[in-house]
């Protein structure tokens, strides 16, 4: 299937060869929409699109694999079952030699510099498992990639290098500095955050990672009134989950730390002064009722210890803007809870203040976490998407409509958030540059993620660049079925 | 032949008495039978045509006019349209029976409307020439528009109406509009903001012009006085500071004010903490911190970002200022 048209005066023929997107109809609705949108931006109308002699239809796709004209290498097992004569098929083509150095052997982010820019580095599996136990906090599609490639590779990009250089030169007797990653949807803010996280872990910092705080505000399972403050509400499930992951990721760095005061959980349960912090964690995991308070205690203890200079503390908060403003949590009296009324959010908010020293606060803002400004009536669906499974509504919104994306930090933080976070260092995460996208395509080719030979050619690569618009997330999605 | 576009006889007049056309006439003009308002019915009427060809009306004056005649002396004053005196093939009115528009002879529509046949450029020039002896010179200091604005900041706009009617008064002649550049008033920051709140949409932000219109009184003079009164009152009220104005909140303001904002509070506490870490103790008064050049830069960046939106250069400016403040590069 191909689309042809003639553009304007200087006659260029513009061809999108759909053979590189053979399963485009299996793909999300958004993909063809996106193609049409890009075409329209180029000045082409839909009626100019000339569907070639053999459009791919559902019926074609449902035919047995052996009869199909397009062969998918990844479905070779299915093909082999229907078509046992393997000898007639041509041998599996080998990918061409890659043209750029896309991979760096330096796996320690402390040694990363501009030399490694736009190259992929591998997080050692052990470190990956400890840093992200149960894969929490990394983008879901990246998680799938990690499972498929059986390695966790992150591109060394300018924004994370920038923040790492700031972390190197910052004076840690001064109040903690806040860094805010911002950028349009799907540019890799969270992965930059993960890179910085790895950097700090390697340097022996204690890392408090709060992935997707928006889930605590938007996808709330259950709440219960707080034990010691009836104004606030605990989220025991979320707190236990977080404690479990924190126990794995920070087990090494906090094993010597001890509590500095006595904490009374209830009439009978308490933790004496001078007990190891790990005990607090275990207490929280064992007794979900107190888990939220345990999180608060850990935050408070770590903040104190960092203040006294015993540890370096990194606070990493993804989608920090959901700490401020309203939530979708209903209180027992049917009114909506405000962010600071949830104890977890309340405690994390205390960390984001810069009234402590001996650490850094690295955050990311994102639009999907934005619940709208309080008192402002908006299309609620815009802001309440489930981030892991964006639905058709949002796909169409993102790809077809010319909706202005809000991505700047102040707009997303809102008035309250800005007053709380200011002064912060905004760090822009942008789409891929030419060098980065070349490197990324090389990486996908090398991993045999892109198996279609046509994508290995220069034309195919250019089409992929064009279709994705240099956006990392879109490139990953488009390369999925190839 | 200035008016020769009239045909020999109007089309469609079937029952009309036929005038001999072939007979050579002394005058080359054949008389128009008049406006054909449709086929004749019933009794013969006056407009139906000429019964007796010997009773021809007089040839119109226009036929005898010279091409280079002095038109202002033909039509010296305002007068009702007179077809025989106007050498123009004008037509007016609604065409009936699929015909053409009625011509100027016996045309009531043309008589109804006012005409400006007495106001030809030549006539106007002559008028001005005569009137010039009564005029004074234009002031030398007011050569340019800017000079006029400089010396006469107040612009009063009224409209005079000339009409022929039972009354010379036109109801709209009473309306007075007063225009003024707000920058010409002596206002401080508070007074300016207050007067802007008071006048509402009467102020144009682009041109900085305040417009006050009055039409509530029956006479122009009264309306004029009223606009002057309004201006005075606005000015005096703007300068007053009422006790309830102390309760103004940041939400009431149109633009972001850094002084007294949480942002200032944040920066003060941060700078204090930094100084404390560097020197051990800090007794620097607030003013010194605020007057610091880095803090001033930061303030400007925050104000820009808040008031002009977060464009990329404003975010960049904010980032640079924060980096300077925190000692990063």
């Amino acid at each position: 299937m191909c689309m042809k048209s003639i553009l304007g005066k200087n006659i260029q023929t513009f061809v999108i060869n759909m053979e590189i997107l053979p399963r485009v109809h299996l793909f999300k609705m958004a993909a063809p929409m996106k193609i049409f949108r890009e075409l329209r931006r180029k000045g082409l109308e839909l009626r100019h699109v000339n569907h070639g002699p053999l459009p791919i239809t559902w019926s074609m796709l449902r035919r047995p694999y052996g009869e199909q004209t397009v062969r998918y290498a990844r479905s070779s097992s299915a093909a082999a079952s229907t078509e046992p004569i393997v000898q007639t098929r041509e041998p599996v083509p080998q990918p061409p030699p890659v043209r750029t150095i896309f991979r760096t052997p330096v796996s320690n982010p402390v040694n990363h510099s501009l030399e490694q820019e736009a190259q992929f580095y591998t997080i050692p599996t052990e470190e990956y498992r400890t840093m992200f136990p149960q894969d929490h906090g990394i983008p879901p599609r990246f998680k799938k990639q990690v499972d498929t490639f059986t390695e966790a590779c992150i591109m060394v990009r300018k924004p994370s290098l920038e923040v790492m250089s700031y972390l190197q030169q910052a004076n840690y007797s001064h109040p903690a500095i806040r860094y805010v990653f911002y950028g349009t949807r799907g540019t890799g803010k969270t992965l930059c955050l993960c890179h910085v996280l790895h950097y700090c872990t390697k340097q022996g910092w204690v890392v408090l990672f709060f992935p997707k705080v928006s889930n605590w505000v938007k996808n709330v399972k259950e709440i219960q009134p707080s034990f010691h403050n009836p104004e606030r509400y605990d989220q025991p499930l979320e707190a236990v989950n977080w404690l479990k992951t924190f126990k794995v990721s920070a087990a090494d760095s906090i094993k010597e730390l001890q509590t500095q005061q006595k904490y009374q959980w209830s009439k009978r349960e308490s933790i004496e002064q001078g007990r190891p912090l790990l005990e607090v964690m275990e207490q929280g995991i064992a007794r979900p009722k107190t888990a939220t308070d345990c999180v608060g205690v850990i935050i408070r203890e770590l903040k104190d210890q960092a203040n006294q200079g015993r540890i370096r503390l990194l606070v990493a908060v993804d989608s920090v803007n959901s700490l401020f403003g309203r939530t979708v949590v209903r209180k027992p009296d049917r009114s909506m809870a405000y962010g600071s009324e949830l104890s977890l959010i309340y405690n994390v908010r205390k960390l984001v203040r810069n009234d402590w020293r001996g650490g850094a606060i690295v955050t990311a803002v994102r639009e999907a976490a934005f619940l709208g400004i309080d008192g402002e009536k908006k299309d609620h669906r815009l802001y309440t998407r489930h981030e892991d499974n964006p639905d058709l509504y949002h796909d169409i919104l993102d790809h077809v409509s010319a909706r202005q994306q809000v991505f700047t930090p102040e707009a997303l933080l809102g008035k309250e958030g800005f007053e709380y976070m200011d002064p912060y260092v905004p760090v822009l995460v942008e789409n891929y540059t030419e060098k980065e996208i070349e490197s990324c395509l090389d990486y996908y080719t090398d991993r045999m993620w892109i198996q279609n030979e046509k994508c290995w050619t220069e034309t195919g690569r250019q089409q992929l660049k064009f279709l994705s618009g240099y956006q990392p997330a879109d490139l990953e999605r488009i390369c999925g079925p190839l | 032949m200035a008016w020769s576009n009239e045909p020999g006889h109007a089309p469609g007049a079937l029952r009309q008495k036929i005038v001999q056309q072939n007979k050579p006439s002394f005058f080359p003009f054949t008389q128009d039978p008049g406006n054909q308002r449709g086929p004749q019915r019933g009794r013969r009427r006056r407009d139906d045509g000429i019964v007796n060809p010997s009773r021809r009306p007089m040839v119109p004056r226009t036929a005898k006019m010279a091409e280079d005649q002095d038109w202002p002396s033909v039509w010296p004053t305002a007068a009702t349209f007179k077809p025989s005196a106007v050498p123009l093939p004008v037509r007016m009115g609604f065409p009936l029976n699929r015909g053409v528009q009625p011509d100027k002879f016996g045309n009531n529509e043309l008589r109804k409307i006012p005409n400006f046949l007495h106001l030809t450029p030549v006539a106007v020039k002559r008028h001005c020439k005569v009137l010039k002896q009564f005029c004074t010179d234009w002031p030398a200091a007011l050569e340019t528009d800017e000079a006029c604005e400089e010396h006469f900041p107040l612009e009063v706009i009224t409209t005079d109406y000339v009409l022929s009617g039972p009354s010379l008064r036109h109801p709209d002649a009473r309306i007075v509009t007063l225009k003024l550049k707000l920058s010409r008033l002596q206002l401080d920051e508070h007074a300016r903001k207050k007067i802007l709140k008071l006048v509402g949409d009467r102020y144009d932000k682009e041109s900085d012009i305040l417009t006050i219109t009055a039409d509530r009184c029956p006479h122009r003079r009264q309306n004029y006085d009223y606009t002057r009164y309004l201006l005075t009152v606005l000015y005096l009220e703007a300068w007053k500071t009422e006790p309830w104005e102390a309760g103004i909140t940041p939400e009431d303001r149109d633009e972001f004010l850094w002084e007294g904002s949480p942002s200032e509070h944040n920066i003060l506490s941060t700078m204090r903490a930094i100084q404390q870490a560097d020197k051990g103790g800090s007794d620097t008064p607030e003013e010194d911190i605020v007057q610091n050049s880095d803090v001033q830069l930061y303030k400007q960046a925050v104000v820009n970002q808040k008031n002009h939106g977060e464009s990329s250069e404003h975010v960049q400016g904010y980032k640079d200022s924060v980096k300077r403040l925190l000692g990063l590069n």
Side-chain angles (χ1 to χ4, degrees), chain B residues 149-150 153 179-188 192 195-196 203-210 231 235:
Chain B
E149 275 180 22
E150 170 70 25
K179 284 191 174 186
L180 172 73
K181 279 212 167 187
L182 208 62
S183 54
R184 300 302 305 275
L185 288 181
Q186 199 184 358
L187 298 168
D188 67 350
R192 190 182 151 79
I195 206 171
L196 288 187
Y203 174 68
D204 180 25
K205 207 173 174 183
E206 261 81 64
S207 55
D208 187 40
I209 285 178
L210 168 67
L231 187 61
Y235 181 75

Side-chain angles (χ1 to χ4, degrees), chain B residues 77-102:
Chain B
T77 55
T80 313
F81 185 81
K82 191 177 175 188
S84 62
V86 180
L88 302 170
V90 283
R91 289 174 169 273
M92 194 171 167
F94 192 78
L96 278 178
N97 295 322
R98 297 179 182 178
V100 291
Q101 280 185 307

Side-chain angles (χ1 to χ4, degrees), chain A residues 223-267:
Chain A
I223 59 166
Q224 69 180 37
S226 172
F227 170 62
H228 62 271
N229 186 350
E231 297 288 301
R232 291 208 207 104
Y233 295 91
D234 288 351
Q235 288 153 280
L237 292 183
E238 279 85 358
V240 168
N241 273 341
W242 187 82
L243 280 176
K244 277 182 187 163
T245 53
F246 183 65
K247 192 184 160 193
V248 178
S249 60
D252 287 345
S253 47
I254 66 164
K255 63 188 169 208
E256 294 102 41
L257 300 183
Q258 292 172 343
T259 53
Q260 294 179 330
Q261 65 183 79
K262 184 184 173 184
Y263 294 101
Q264 187 85 33
W265 307 121
S266 62
K267 272 181 189 170

Side-chain angles (χ1 to χ4, degrees), chain A residues 18 65 84 160 186 190 237 259 399 471:
Chain A
M18 283 293 232
Y65 281 102
S160 42
T190 308
L237 292 183
T259 53
H399 292 277
Q471 207 210 25

Side-chain angles (χ1 to χ4, degrees), chain B residues 298-314:
Chain B
Y298 166 80
K299 170 193 164 185
Q300 198 50 47
V302 173
V303 169
N304 275 344
Q305 192 174 290
K306 284 272 190 187
N307 286 344
H308 304 301
E310 274 186 300
S311 60
S312 57
E313 69 260 24
H314 285 152

Side-chain angles (χ1 to χ4, degrees), chain B residues 32-325:
Chain B
D32 187 286
N35 283 332
Q36 295 300 306
R37 288 295 193 180
Q40 181 198 348
R41 285 188 185 175
R43 280 185 60 215
R44 178 180 293 276
R45 289 195 199 122
R46 191 170 178 167
D47 276 356
D48 285 346
I50 303 156
V51 179
N52 187 351
S54 65
R55 289 181 59 203
R56 284 205 187 99
M58 284 179 68
V59 176
R61 247 175 88 190
T62 49
K64 297 174 202 163
M65 282 179 177
E67 282 174 15
D68 54 348
Q69 68 175 336
D70 181 34
W71 176 252
S73 49
V74 176
W75 202 286
T77 55
T80 313
F81 185 81
K82 191 177 175 188
S84 62
V86 180
L88 302 170
V90 283
R91 289 174 169 273
M92 194 171 167
F94 192 78
L96 278 178
N97 295 322
R98 297 179 182 178
V100 291
Q101 280 185 307
D103 66 12
K104 60 183 177 177
F105 288 99
N107 193 329
N108 247 341
E109 299 303 320
L110 275 173
R111 292 174 64 89
K112 282 181 197 170
I113 57 165
N115 63 59
F116 293 112
L117 291 168
H118 61 295
L119 289 179
T120 52
V122 184
V124 173
K125 246 179 214 167
R126 282 185 201 165
H127 271 281
C128 292
K129 202 174 167 189
V130 178
L131 288 174
K132 204 162 187 180
Q133 54 183 314
F134 303 110
C135 297
T136 53
D137 286 340
W138 183 256
L142 300 179
E143 282 303 326
T144 59
D145 286 350
E146 289 78 38
C148 292
E149 275 180 22
E150 170 70 25
H151 295 287
F152 298 96
L154 216 57
E155 189 183 351
V156 181
I157 301 170
T158 56
T159 315
D160 291 322
Y161 294 87
V162 180
L163 70 158
S164 59
S167 165
L168 283 178
R169 317 271 171 244
H170 193 279
D172 286 353
R174 74 184 195 288
I175 300 173
V176 176
T177 304
L178 188 136
K179 284 191 174 186
L180 172 73
K181 279 212 167 187
L182 208 62
S183 54
R184 300 302 305 275
L185 288 181
Q186 199 184 358
L187 298 168
D188 67 350
E189 196 60 31
H190 163 262
R192 190 182 151 79
K193 275 173 190 162
K194 190 164 177 188
I195 206 171
L196 288 187
K197 287 269 180 197
L198 286 172
V199 298
D201 64 349
R202 293 174 188 82
Y203 174 68
D204 180 25
K205 207 173 174 183
E206 261 81 64
S207 55
D208 187 40
I209 285 178
L210 168 67
T211 310
I212 300 172
T213 305
D215 59 353
R216 55 175 58 188
C217 306
H219 291 290
R220 175 184 291 176
R221 176 72 204 191
Q222 293 167 332
N223 279 321
Y224 172 71
D225 288 345
Y226 184 59
T227 53
R228 295 298 295 260
Y229 162 76
L230 280 180
L231 187 61
T232 316
V233 167
L234 277 174
Y235 181 75
L236 294 178
E237 280 299 317
W239 272 98
K240 280 183 201 163
T241 308
E242 303 287 348
W244 45 261
E245 281 178 42
I248 188 168
T249 56
E251 283 77 31
D252 298 332
R253 295 189 191 281
D254 291 335
E255 70 270 313
F256 176 76
L257 253 186
W258 191 74
E259 284 79 15
S261 69
S263 175
E264 188 191 15
H265 180 75
N266 284 344
I267 216 67
L268 282 178
S269 59
T270 308
M271 295 305 281
R272 282 258 164 77
I274 288 177
Q275 284 174 357
Q276 206 155 18
D278 286 347
K279 294 167 196 161
S282 77
D283 299 323
T284 324
E286 273 187 22
E287 294 77 40
D288 286 7
I289 296 180
V290 174
Q291 289 309 316
N292 182 0
S293 67
D294 287 354
V295 176
Q296 283 295 318
L297 214 72
Y298 166 80
K299 170 193 164 185
Q300 198 50 47
V302 173
V303 169
N304 275 344
Q305 192 174 290
K306 284 272 190 187
N307 286 344
H308 304 301
E310 274 186 300
S311 60
S312 57
E313 69 260 24
H314 285 152
V315 178
Q316 188 61 39
Y318 177 78
K319 182 179 175 181
D320 292 342
S321 68
V322 171
K323 274 162 65 183
R324 276 188 66 164
L325 210 62

